[in-house]
Amino acid sequence: MSRPNNIGAGGFQKYIDKELAAMASEKIVAEKIFGYVGNAGFAIDAGTVLYENTLVNDNLVGYTSDVLVDLSMNYTTAITATTLGSQIGGAIGSVIPGAGTAIGIVIGAGIGAGIYFVTDVITINDRTIREHVKDSFDEVLGG
């Protein structure tokens, strides 16, 4: 943005500094809000995992191992999708400003969906990978 002719250099710089400070404070607020929303999502997911596993497990070892497997796989998927989506989106955004965020969201969602498909949809011997991991973990814990 170039300085208009009718505004002095010092006044224009103060205006730019004020606008940048306002943008920075808005960014901080947005980051906090998105952080709270993300944490709420993790809390809801954890509650769902705890509840769903009470419905299918009748012993403490089976319940504990299934909860640990579910939470570990869910959070690993979320962290992987978020990290890769934001990194790829950031790289694209450095070339195409503005589009990188949207593309990163789509890529992150695609990665998450792909991991879900591999771990929870594809079956091997009529069991998903998640179910095989749970079975193995149960064996290790003696459930």
Side-chain angles (χ1 to χ4, degrees):
M1 175 182 208
S2 61
R3 177 178 61 87
N5 292 333
N6 62 343
I7 299 177
F12 186 67
Q13 187 60 50
K14 287 179 185 176
Y15 168 76
I16 295 295
D17 291 344
K18 178 182 163 192
E19 291 298 313
L20 289 174
M23 289 170 52
S25 77
E26 290 170 2
K27 179 182 180 230
I28 290 169
V29 169
E31 287 173 347
K32 285 183 180 181
I33 290 170
F34 285 121
Y36 293 139
V37 169
N39 290 339
F42 280 125
I44 290 168
D45 181 59
T48 302
V49 165
L50 293 170
Y51 174 72
E52 287 176 349
N53 279 293
T54 60
L55 301 176
V56 296
N57 286 292
D58 57 357
N59 67 61
L60 184 60
V61 173
Y63 174 78
T64 304
S65 68
D66 285 0
V67 166
L68 290 174
V69 169
D70 283 338
L71 290 177
S72 298
M73 290 181 85
N74 291 357
Y75 295 151
T76 301
T77 299
I79 290 167
T80 302
T82 303
T83 302
L84 291 175
S86 65
Q87 292 299 314
I88 294 168
I92 293 169
S94 66
V95 177
I96 309 168
T101 301
I103 293 169
I105 290 169
V106 170
I107 289 172
I111 291 168
I115 293 172
Y116 169 77
F117 185 77
V118 169
T119 60
D120 294 291
V121 175
I122 295 174
T123 59
I124 302 168
N125 297 330
D126 295 326
R127 309 271 297 155
T128 65
I129 290 175
R130 182 181 300 261
E131 290 169 332
H132 283 293
V133 172
K134 286 181 176 184
D135 294 343
S136 299
F137 211 75
D138 283 346
E139 283 182 34
V140 169
L141 292 178

